[in-house]
Amino acid sequence: MRIGIFYGSTTGVTKRVAERAGELLGADVMNAAEIEEKIDNYDMLIFATSSWNRGDVQKSWESHLKFLGGKDFGGRKIALIGVGDQEFFGKTFVEGMNVIYTYIKYNNIKLIGRTSTEGYDFEESRSVEKGKFIGLAIDDKNQKELTEERIENWVKQLKEEMKD
């Protein structure tokens, strides 16, 4: 299975998280700017973004959201990574991944990789559905010591969910 990870990163944290997940999955890792030309090369897709302002996606994603919104994913498995700051942005923690999800959720996808909210301390997030994050949530600013473990556990979970 060919896996493509597309990320938008301003400070480098999202890029680093995407690269580590890609290393563990044997995936190709690219900037979101490459999505329109390369998206069809992959059987499974992972979209990674940091969150900005009031829960917006990272700027690299902005011009590609309309493209994603019009794309039929043909039942492909999709996973999401959100990077944020749960203390300073506790009301919009990792909401950037929800912005992407909003554009793709009705486009013939199978979302995998939901994760527990346990161990985080935030007020609310639109990236939580039925008590779980819709993807991997990373707070490398306040919980840097948990980043590697969270990535590794998530990748193990994805490998299991990819079998279904």
Side-chain angles (χ1 to χ4, degrees), residues 44-61:
M44 181 185 156
L45 301 162
I46 299 173
F47 302 141
T49 185
S50 48
S51 296
W52 292 91
N53 301 319
R54 293 188 177 153
D56 297 330
V57 291
Q58 192 274 342
K59 288 210 178 296
S60 300
W61 282 104

